[in-house]
Amino acid sequence: MDRLRSCSLRDIRIDDPFWNKYTQLVPREVIPYQWSTLNDSVEGAEPSHAIRNFRIAAGMETGDFYGFVFQDSDVAKWLEAVAYSLSWQPDAGLEKRADDTIAVIAAAQQPDGYLDTYFIINTPGREFFNLQEGHELYCAGHMIEAGTAYYKVTGKRTLLDVCIRMADHICDVFHRPDHLAAVPGHEEIELALVKLYEVTGQEKYLKMAKDFIDRRGQEPNYLENESKNPGWTQIFANMQDYSADYSQSDRPVRMQTRAEGHAVRAVYLYSAMADVAYYAHDESLLAACERLWEDITQRQMYITGGIGSSGILERFTTDYHLPNEGAYAESCASVGLALFCRRMSQITHDAKYMDTAETALCNTVLAGIAQDGKSFFYVNPLAVWPEACMKHTSLEHVKPVRQKWFSCACCPPNIARTLASLGEYCYFENEEGLWVNLFVSGQVDLLRGGKKFTLTVKTRFPFDGSVSMTIRGEGAMDGKLMVRIPSYVKAYSFTVKGQETRPEVEKGYAAIGGLSDGDTVEVKFSIPAEYVHADPKLRADEGRVAIRKGPVVYCLEETDNGDNLEQILADTAAPLCEEYREDLLGGTLIIHAEGCRSMIEGLPEGCLYGTGHTVYRPAELTLVPYAYWDNRKTGEMQVWMREKFH
Amino acid sequence: MDRLRSCSLRDIRIDDPFWNKYTQLVPREVIPYQWSTLNDSVEGAEPSHAIRNFRIAAGMETGDFYGFVFQDSDVAKWLEAVAYSLSWQPDAGLEKRADDTIAVIAAAQQPDGYLDTYFIINTPGREFFNLQEGHELYCAGHMIEAGTAYYKVTGKRTLLDVCIRMADHICDVFHRPDHLAAVPGHEEIELALVKLYEVTGQEKYLKMAKDFIDRRGQEPNYLENESKNPGWTQIFANMQDYSADYSQSDRPVRMQTRAEGHAVRAVYLYSAMADVAYYAHDESLLAACERLWEDITQRQMYITGGIGSSGILERFTTDYHLPNEGAYAESCASVGLALFCRRMSQITHDAKYMDTAETALCNTVLAGIAQDGKSFFYVNPLAVWPEACMKHTSLEHVKPVRQKWFSCACCPPNIARTLASLGEYCYFENEEGLWVNLFVSGQVDLLRGGKKFTLTVKTRFPFDGSVSMTIRGEGAMDGKLMVRIPSYVKAYSFTVKGQETRPEVEKGYAAIGGLSDGDTVEVKFSIPAEYVHADPKLRADEGRVAIRKGPVVYCLEETDNGDNLEQILADTAAPLCEEYREDLLGGTLIIHAEGCRSMIEGLPEGCLYGTGHTVYRPAELTLVPYAYWDNRKTGEMQVWMREKFH
């Protein structure tokens, strides 16, 4: 296997009409806002206490631990977002704040390397006694992701060294006789240990990651038997009901053919499996990853790239069971899906995985954050009727309005670190050339064959299919430009140096060689807005259509279309009309569609059920990108519209 | 107010093609089966331990309490069902078994009259300290219902005296200074105390019932503040989250205009409110009942008479939010709705309430029990895809197959006591005459003006709209025959003594006077099977139709129509064809309808979403009564079918 490398974020500048309004938000609004929430200074937001937990563990303050057992990870993900952001937008003040935070974290670390404020404060000396629920390895993983990222951009070792000491301790503990079968209850450490291996070159981290993966699902099941250990204490009241598939530990990973259980856990595991498959040259592990991707995308993924449909346990359910109204589709799960798919594309050089990553990023991940960067969705339904989203009911997990923060606040910093690292999805590199995955205006600096180049991309993608790429640099460029042809593209044409050409396409990438300083590659992708159907086995979407333009899924909102969106039928025989609206939602392409509204006539007054007849009145429909819903008035939203019968 | 009395079950004999298969099942199968489950001798059924709990509390056995805090109520409801059953089908062996059980119950009663095995065994001396969760008053209520019913049929006082001592103790405790604001967390005692008042004539029981009702929702809120009492201990882990509307205690009952919270609690409360409104001549209380019935039936009730749509907390949600797939619609809630509506009809002499009771009885209550009497639904969805009803997901409450028993086993004995007391819904009496509510073949004995009469009813209702009623007796009968004209009837005709007549109709009852020995009243109700629409505000049923014949709602089952029922569209312009099938489901009318199946063509293989087009293939549809679903093969079921567009 030959793995494509993501270009360094320091070499990428994004300046794009579609993405700017989110990526530029990260240093300007999201990072400062999240710093405030982590320090509990946002009025009306759920308390976090996460920074104070570190200060208390470090002995700098007194007080009690507050929050979930995984509260530390919010700080780690914030630091990771800071690192990515600093790599393309230096900010001395922010770096100082990060350094100060890292100093607190370092002070909280125990002499043996252990670091988890929940257990340091609450049960000192009792480490790793409850892996099913404890999340220590999950928090450690996020800290390692932060530590390696921060080191890569700043060269500063403090947090990296904290992570090394912590990882060394973990490698020790989890090779002790009593922990030889132990695995994390929530995967994340595995992919982080691979990153630490990549930064340090220390094989033992890779080995630990592989061990955790290989141990998973082996008999006797460590997680299922853990509670029999003396002194075991329960952390979550209802956890005893969890089944092994909830944490993907019901069978060895190479025997897993179906994405099961908690969706975030699953895709974090699969990401690490892909990493380890590459480093260990493990074809059987890679094959498992391929099967799991296929399962997700062919049977268990919303059109928006959302996964994990159950509001209970945030989990996958059964094939083709993707209810729209009660969808869970956690933002973090789509973040993880993008991470997994990026790795798969890098290892297999197959663009199909990037289609999935792009779907997740452009729809569910963006929907997860408001256009002001200060409120977030954890849950991403595809149909919302706000009045029905009541507390203490089956729809209590669905929020019709983005929230300032969450008691379980995994999603907001996860979205932040994803947006801050968007560049890593845009370009890959290897000997063969530069791989262009996402079509994002901006530049990337390259060193190829010892010579410097800059690729400049100009596009209004995804609202327009034209992409212009220009090479500037020191003469002729070694290698090719590998341009992804998304699967949703109806047709495409390439004009290279002014000449229309038909480049060779392999696994979804068009290869264009012989480029030199000043050369331009123009691509025209035909990506008209279109009606999309779902596989009829997907019962929730039966008789319904959605509208998609390129990777962008559209939706009806009450503010444009009136209430009771279920009354609307889309006329798929009528054309869709695209209109760019500079004034709307920070500038967006909207779609006009034709349809009708069904009404029941003849139903007696005050009668919930009765003999009536249906009439249909013409209606003009207006759709906006799903990612942008709930950025105006609160109201109903719907992706899958009833299709008018022909 | 003048309240109609239900005729005594001892005077009613039901021998009806529609009802026999359920009512005759009660003494033959259901009561013996439930006795076995209460004694934990049914293999594969959830353990009950309910009888053993009483034996342990009585000191006859040693051991621990097992089960929910309300486990006693299962025994009480079983005894109540036995009492009703003995009233129309004497059975010395069964009566002996009941007497023996009552002896154990009596032995478990404490010297002060207290009786609740959970607290007697687990926390002796700590009574009524947690009314929110403790269910002692709920269990007491069910025991009183059993005690009064058993006394009325057998004349035996043992259980009645137990109940009197228990009720006296309750009246004492809840008029002590520290309990002057106390109300039950789960209503039920109120309606039971009214029954005890009716049997004993003791005003204090009526007053206690009225006090509990009047106290409800007053400030300061007793249930919300109870946990601050010293020594308070939690029983259910998640109960602290419950809001006051969950137990209808968020405001005084006379200010309640919307059915809120836990559906069973709600309708048990409303039943008692109706009782107390009558005895206390309380017009404002009756007006509240009328408003709440209107709210339920106009905004919050499934077409099947199911109520309480949320799987979390078994509760009402928001107006018109009645999802089909994830419906809760607990069997007990429909039992309670029937109890409430029967009382409302008795007080107001208005047949409209009996329409609701009949809907609940003929659909949800009957669906709650298998045709062999040995398995039960707790939850009654209107659309089921069995594969999606997975444990540990948002649909875990939905069972696609009736269960042998439940750890929380309220529904099976509740259905049993309801079927055993069906006669109480059939006929009411007052000075004015005999009120015929449900059309059920059989007989009822009457004493009118000192003379004996028997009304014999012959009908194949609801599968046929003809009802023949013949009077036999001692000459001319005092009073009229008041025949309910259900709201779903399209047209009707009366033939009295061979003459077609147009009787006067008031509040849905046609009055026929001047009847004597040998006279016959023939009614022909036109109740063709028909397509029914829902109010368009009910989004889940938008673009859909159901089929109803009289009170009976029909459904598609996979076994008749193939899988993926969501693909089916019903053609409402085509006629419905009725066929009686002796061989099917114990004899039933089935409906043939015309429609089509939608298919998506052109969707690329292995593609969950893509550009395709919809084609429609003709399909013949077969529907069976909703009540009978899942009595053949396990499979999909659907009430609301997509409507073909015209």
Side-chain angles (χ1 to χ4, degrees):
Chain A
M1 299 178 214
D2 162 44
R3 191 174 69 162
L4 309 173
R5 302 177 300 279
S6 284
C7 294
S8 166
L9 291 175
R10 281 186 298 199
D11 298 330
I12 301 168
R13 285 169 302 293
I14 291 173
D15 187 11
D16 180 84
F18 181 80
W19 287 101
N20 275 3
K21 55 187 167 190
Y22 290 99
T23 52
Q24 294 190 359
L25 206 60
V26 174
R28 194 178 71 231
E29 300 289 349
V30 182
I31 286 175
Y33 177 81
Q34 297 196 351
W35 175 253
S36 300
T37 56
L38 293 174
N39 285 279
D40 303 303
S41 51
V42 174
E43 205 173 319
E46 286 279 342
S48 162
H49 207 265
I51 297 289
R52 280 203 67 203
N53 288 338
F54 277 104
R55 294 182 58 81
I56 293 166
M60 296 168 165
E61 278 190 40
T62 54
D64 294 328
F65 180 92
Y66 173 87
F68 277 102
V69 69
F70 43 77
Q71 210 80 347
D72 288 1
S73 62
D74 297 341
V75 177
K77 276 187 277 188
W78 178 81
L79 277 171
E80 189 186 350
V82 168
Y84 296 143
S85 170
L86 291 175
S87 63
W88 48 271
Q89 184 153 318
D91 177 336
L94 178 59
E95 193 170 324
K96 170 77 169 58
R97 177 170 284 173
D99 288 339
D100 292 346
T101 307
I102 288 166
V104 177
I105 293 169
Q109 188 168 36
Q110 302 298 287
D112 61 2
Y114 184 79
L115 177 59
D116 189 297
T117 71
Y118 176 90
F119 294 96
I120 292 171
I121 297 170
N122 287 338
T123 58
R126 296 197 60 212
E127 301 172 357
F128 305 120
F129 74 92
N130 182 342
L131 295 180
Q132 171 87 284
E133 307 176 294
H135 285 74
E136 290 149 295
L137 294 169
Y138 168 85
C139 290
H142 277 301
M143 200 55 82
I144 292 169
E145 288 206 84
T148 51
Y150 199 72
Y151 168 73
K152 284 203 273 185
V153 61
T154 64
K156 294 177 182 170
R157 293 195 58 100
T158 310
L159 189 57
L160 180 66
D161 288 337
V162 164
C163 292
I164 287 172
R165 282 194 298 276
M166 181 174 66
D168 289 347
H169 179 59
I170 288 168
C171 290
D172 286 349
V173 169
F174 290 91
H175 286 111
R176 282 196 324 229
D178 57 334
H179 279 87
L180 277 180
V183 294
H186 191 316
E187 302 93 321
E188 155 65 21
I189 185 86
E190 301 88 340
L191 72 88
L193 286 168
V194 175
K195 287 188 170 186
L196 194 60
Y197 160 68
E198 289 169 343
V199 166
T200 63
Q202 291 287 317
E203 293 274 351
K204 68 173 179 177
Y205 304 133
L206 180 62
K207 179 172 184 321
M208 185 77 257
K210 185 169 185 304
D211 286 348
F212 279 144
I213 288 170
D214 289 344
R215 291 172 185 181
R216 202 156 201 94
Q218 303 291 349
E219 288 298 330
N221 190 302
Y222 183 87
L223 296 176
E224 292 207 322
N225 291 296
E226 188 187 40
S227 62
K228 298 172 194 155
N229 292 345
W232 182 89
T233 324
Q234 195 172 323
I235 296 170
F236 294 102
N238 297 316
M239 202 84 177
Q240 73 273 25
D241 267 354
Y242 292 19
S243 52
D245 63 356
Y246 169 74
S247 57
Q248 300 77 45
S249 59
D250 57 321
R251 67 192 73 189
V253 296
R254 288 170 188 77
M255 290 172 64
Q256 296 186 14
T257 54
R258 197 176 177 281
E260 296 274 11
H262 185 259
V264 177
R265 281 170 165 79
V267 283
Y268 283 7
L269 169 65
Y270 307 157
S271 299
M273 284 163 60
D275 285 339
V276 169
Y278 164 66
Y279 282 114
H281 312 289
D282 189 329
E283 293 288 350
S284 67
L285 202 51
L286 184 64
C289 291
E290 283 166 344
R291 281 195 306 269
L292 289 162
W293 171 83
E294 205 170 279
D295 176 62
I296 289 174
T297 54
Q298 292 187 8
R299 289 179 285 277
Q300 301 211 75
M301 187 181 79
Y302 286 98
I303 190 173
T304 53
I307 53 172
S309 61
S310 172
I312 294 182
L313 298 188
E314 315 176 310
R315 56 170 285 179
F316 293 102
T317 58
T318 196
D319 288 349
Y320 306 105
H321 185 246
L322 296 165
N324 293 305
E325 189 187 26
Y328 202 77
E330 181 179 344
S331 302
C332 285
S334 291
V335 164
L337 181 61
L339 291 174
F340 170 46
C341 291
R342 189 178 85 203
R343 284 164 169 79
M344 289 302 288
S345 226
Q346 289 175 308
I347 297 170
T348 64
H349 306 196
D350 195 328
K352 69 184 181 185
Y353 300 105
M354 286 309 299
D355 289 345
T356 311
E358 187 186 40
T359 296
L361 291 171
C362 290
N363 299 292
T364 303
V365 175
L366 288 190
I369 182 166
Q371 291 196 334
D372 70 358
K374 293 178 181 173
S375 62
F376 307 89
F377 281 132
Y378 191 117
V379 167
N380 295 282
L382 278 78
V384 166
W385 174 23
E387 286 82 348
C389 302
M390 296 170 68
K391 273 196 90 161
H392 308 309
T393 72
S394 293
L395 289 183
E396 69 177 338
H397 61 282
V398 180
K399 306 293 172 211
V401 182
R402 288 183 187 81
Q403 308 287 297
K404 289 183 175 183
W405 204 245
F406 304 89
S407 56
C408 170
C410 48
C411 298
N414 220 355
I415 295 167
R417 70 173 183 143
T418 304
L419 293 173
S421 61
L422 182 70
E424 295 192 339
Y425 293 86
C426 294
Y427 307 106
F428 301 152
E429 243 194 313
N430 72 345
E431 286 303 294
E432 216 179 328
L434 176 72
W435 303 65
V436 180
N437 298 299
L438 302 184
F439 308 105
V440 177
S441 294
Q443 296 190 320
V444 55
D445 296 331
L446 307 163
L447 194 65
R448 298 209 57 88
K451 294 185 283 182
K452 287 183 177 172
F453 295 89
T454 296
L455 178 79
T456 303
V457 179
K458 283 193 180 150
T459 183
R460 297 186 65 79
F461 201 89
F463 295 146
D464 181 280
S466 300
V467 183
S468 168
M469 292 171 279
T470 304
I471 291 284
R472 292 278 170 202
E474 301 172 2
M477 187 178 82
D478 263 17
K480 297 171 181 169
L481 201 61
M482 309 294 288
V483 180
R484 172 174 156 255
I485 314 288
S487 62
Y488 49 75
V489 160
K490 299 284 148 193
Y492 61 88
S493 65
F494 277 81
T495 305
V496 179
K497 298 182 254 185
Q499 295 281 319
E500 190 164 336
T501 51
R502 298 272 325 152
E504 260 188 60
V505 178
E506 197 180 343
K507 293 186 190 171
Y509 286 100
I512 298 134
L515 296 171
S516 296
D517 176 46
D519 287 349
T520 292
V521 176
E522 311 264 1
V523 196
K524 287 211 186 305
F525 291 124
S526 170
I527 47 167
E530 57 176 359
Y531 282 108
V532 177
H533 285 91
D535 185 315
K537 291 190 277 299
L538 207 167
R539 286 155 174 78
D541 300 337
E542 201 83 66
R544 294 177 185 266
V545 285
I547 291 176
R548 193 165 66 177
K549 180 180 172 65
V552 177
V553 175
Y554 278 75
C555 70
L556 296 169
E557 278 201 281
E558 181 177 339
T559 190
D560 300 311
N561 299 283
D563 71 353
N564 206 343
L565 300 176
E566 268 297 310
Q567 286 188 317
I568 289 175
L569 291 92
D571 182 353
T572 51
L576 294 173
C577 176
E578 307 181 12
E579 181 194 4
Y580 191 82
R581 286 277 299 274
E582 199 61 52
D583 59 317
L584 206 67
L585 292 159
T588 184
L589 190 88
I590 64 172
I591 311 284
H592 299 283
E594 291 177 30
C596 54
R597 262 185 185 264
S598 61
M599 325 283 247
I600 309 299
E601 291 192 343
L603 207 62
E605 182 65 27
C607 197
L608 194 48
Y609 307 104
T611 342
H613 62 276
T614 312
V615 295
Y616 302 89
R617 306 235 168 89
E620 297 294 322
L621 316 181
T622 301
L623 295 100
V624 298
Y626 171 77
Y628 300 168
W629 84 275
D630 188 48
N631 273 290
R632 294 173 295 169
K633 281 189 204 155
T634 300
E636 292 180 45
M637 181 276 290
Q638 193 181 49
V639 170
W640 288 98
M641 303 172 282
R642 291 163 56 202
E643 182 182 9
K644 194 175 155 187
F645 189 97
H646 290 288
Chain B
M1 298 180 218
D2 161 46
R3 192 173 67 163
L4 308 174
R5 302 178 300 279
S6 284
C7 294
S8 166
L9 291 174
R10 279 185 296 198
D11 298 331
I12 300 168
R13 283 168 304 293
I14 291 173
D15 187 10
D16 181 83
F18 181 78
W19 287 102
N20 275 3
K21 55 187 167 187
Y22 290 100
T23 50
Q24 296 192 355
L25 207 57
V26 174
R28 194 178 70 230
E29 300 290 348
V30 183
I31 287 175
Y33 177 80
Q34 296 195 354
W35 175 253
S36 300
T37 58
L38 294 173
N39 285 280
D40 303 302
S41 52
V42 174
E43 205 172 321
E46 285 280 342
S48 161
H49 208 264
I51 298 289
R52 280 204 66 202
N53 288 337
F54 276 103
R55 294 182 57 82
I56 293 166
M60 296 169 167
E61 276 190 43
T62 55
D64 294 327
F65 179 91
Y66 174 88
F68 277 102
V69 69
F70 43 76
Q71 210 78 350
D72 288 0
S73 62
D74 298 340
V75 177
K77 277 187 276 188
W78 179 81
L79 277 171
E80 189 186 348
V82 168
Y84 297 144
S85 170
L86 290 176
S87 62
W88 48 271
Q89 183 153 322
D91 177 336
L94 178 60
E95 193 170 326
K96 169 78 169 56
R97 178 171 284 174
D99 288 339
D100 293 345
T101 306
I102 288 167
V104 177
I105 293 170
Q109 189 169 36
Q110 303 297 289
D112 62 1
Y114 184 79
L115 177 59
D116 189 299
T117 70
Y118 176 90
F119 294 95
I120 292 172
I121 297 171
N122 287 338
T123 58
R126 297 196 61 213
E127 300 171 359
F128 304 120
F129 74 92
N130 184 341
L131 295 180
Q132 172 86 284
E133 306 175 293
H135 286 74
E136 288 150 296
L137 294 170
Y138 167 84
C139 289
H142 277 301
M143 199 57 80
I144 292 169
E145 289 206 83
T148 50
Y150 200 71
Y151 167 73
K152 284 204 272 187
V153 59
T154 63
K156 294 179 183 170
R157 292 195 60 100
T158 309
L159 189 57
L160 181 67
D161 288 337
V162 164
C163 293
I164 287 172
R165 283 193 298 275
M166 181 174 67
D168 289 346
H169 179 59
I170 288 169
C171 290
D172 286 349
V173 169
F174 290 92
H175 286 111
R176 281 196 326 230
D178 58 334
H179 279 87
L180 277 180
V183 294
H186 193 315
E187 303 93 321
E188 155 65 21
I189 184 87
E190 301 88 339
L191 73 88
L193 285 167
V194 175
K195 287 189 169 184
L196 195 59
Y197 160 68
E198 289 169 343
V199 166
T200 62
Q202 290 289 316
E203 292 273 352
K204 69 172 178 177
Y205 303 133
L206 180 63
K207 180 173 184 321
M208 186 76 257
K210 184 168 185 304
D211 287 348
F212 278 145
I213 288 170
D214 289 344
R215 291 172 184 182
R216 203 155 201 94
Q218 304 291 348
E219 288 297 332
N221 190 300
Y222 183 86
L223 296 177
E224 291 205 324
N225 291 296
E226 187 187 41
S227 61
K228 298 172 193 153
N229 292 346
W232 182 87
T233 323
Q234 195 172 323
I235 296 171
F236 293 102
N238 297 316
M239 202 86 177
Q240 73 272 27
D241 267 354
Y242 291 19
S243 52
D245 63 356
Y246 170 75
S247 57
Q248 301 77 43
S249 59
D250 56 322
R251 69 192 70 191
V253 297
R254 288 172 188 76
M255 291 173 63
Q256 295 186 16
T257 54
R258 194 177 179 282
E260 296 275 10
H262 186 258
V264 176
R265 281 170 167 78
V267 283
Y268 284 6
L269 169 65
Y270 307 158
S271 299
M273 284 164 61
D275 285 337
V276 169
Y278 165 67
Y279 281 113
H281 311 289
D282 189 329
E283 293 288 349
S284 67
L285 202 51
L286 185 64
C289 290
E290 281 167 346
R291 281 194 306 272
L292 290 162
W293 171 82
E294 203 169 280
D295 176 62
I296 290 175
T297 54
Q298 292 187 8
R299 288 178 287 276
Q300 300 209 77
M301 186 181 78
Y302 287 98
I303 190 173
T304 52
I307 53 172
S309 62
S310 173
I312 293 182
L313 298 186
E314 314 174 311
R315 55 170 284 182
F316 292 103
T317 60
T318 197
D319 288 348
Y320 305 105
H321 185 246
L322 296 166
N324 293 306
E325 191 189 23
Y328 202 75
E330 183 180 341
S331 303
C332 285
S334 291
V335 164
L337 180 61
L339 290 174
F340 171 45
C341 291
R342 188 179 83 203
R343 284 164 169 78
M344 290 301 289
S345 226
Q346 289 175 309
I347 297 169
T348 63
H349 305 196
D350 194 329
K352 69 184 179 184
Y353 300 106
M354 285 310 298
D355 288 346
T356 311
E358 186 186 39
T359 296
L361 292 172
C362 290
N363 299 290
T364 303
V365 174
L366 287 191
I369 183 167
Q371 291 196 332
D372 69 358
K374 294 178 182 175
S375 63
F376 308 89
F377 281 132
Y378 190 116
V379 167
N380 295 283
L382 278 77
V384 165
W385 173 23
E387 286 83 347
C389 302
M390 295 171 68
K391 272 196 91 160
H392 308 310
T393 73
S394 295
L395 288 183
E396 68 178 340
H397 60 283
V398 181
K399 306 292 173 215
V401 181
R402 290 183 185 81
Q403 309 287 296
K404 289 183 175 182
W405 203 245
F406 304 89
S407 56
C408 171
C410 48
C411 298
N414 221 353
I415 296 167
R417 69 174 182 140
T418 304
L419 292 172
S421 60
L422 182 72
E424 295 193 339
Y425 294 85
C426 294
Y427 306 105
F428 302 153
E429 244 195 314
N430 73 344
E431 286 303 296
E432 214 178 330
L434 176 73
W435 303 64
V436 180
N437 297 300
L438 303 184
F439 308 103
V440 177
S441 296
Q443 296 190 322
V444 55
D445 296 330
L446 307 163
L447 194 66
R448 298 207 59 87
K451 291 185 281 180
K452 287 184 179 171
F453 294 89
T454 297
L455 178 78
T456 302
V457 179
K458 282 195 182 151
T459 182
R460 297 187 66 81
F461 201 89
F463 294 145
D464 182 280
S466 301
V467 183
S468 169
M469 291 171 280
T470 305
I471 291 283
R472 293 275 172 204
E474 300 172 2
M477 186 178 84
D478 262 16
K480 297 170 182 170
L481 201 61
M482 310 293 288
V483 180
R484 172 171 156 256
I485 314 287
S487 63
Y488 48 76
V489 160
K490 299 284 148 190
Y492 61 88
S493 64
F494 276 82
T495 306
V496 179
K497 297 184 251 183
Q499 294 280 318
E500 191 163 335
T501 52
R502 298 273 322 151
E504 261 188 61
V505 177
E506 197 178 344
K507 294 187 190 172
Y509 286 99
I512 297 134
L515 295 172
S516 297
D517 176 45
D519 287 348
T520 292
V521 176
E522 310 264 358
V523 197
K524 285 209 187 306
F525 292 123
S526 168
I527 48 167
E530 58 177 359
Y531 282 108
V532 177
H533 286 91
D535 186 317
K537 293 190 277 298
L538 205 168
R539 285 154 174 79
D541 300 337
E542 201 83 68
R544 294 177 185 267
V545 285
I547 292 176
R548 194 165 64 179
K549 180 179 172 67
V552 177
V553 174
Y554 277 75
C555 70
L556 295 169
E557 279 201 281
E558 181 177 339
T559 192
D560 300 310
N561 299 283
D563 72 352
N564 205 343
L565 300 177
E566 267 297 309
Q567 287 188 318
I568 289 176
L569 291 92
D571 183 353
T572 50
L576 294 174
C577 177
E578 307 180 12
E579 180 195 4
Y580 191 81
R581 285 279 299 273
E582 199 62 53
D583 57 319
L584 206 66
L585 292 159
T588 184
L589 190 89
I590 65 172
I591 310 285
H592 299 282
E594 289 177 31
C596 54
R597 264 186 184 262
S598 62
M599 324 284 246
I600 310 299
E601 291 193 343
L603 207 62
E605 182 65 28
C607 198
L608 195 48
Y609 308 105
T611 342
H613 62 277
T614 311
V615 294
Y616 302 89
R617 307 239 169 86
E620 298 294 321
L621 316 181
T622 301
L623 294 99
V624 298
Y626 171 76
Y628 301 167
W629 83 275
D630 189 47
N631 272 292
R632 292 174 295 169
K633 280 188 203 157
T634 300
E636 293 180 43
M637 181 276 291
Q638 193 181 47
V639 170
W640 289 97
M641 302 172 282
R642 292 162 57 201
E643 182 182 9
K644 193 175 157 188
F645 189 98
H646 290 289

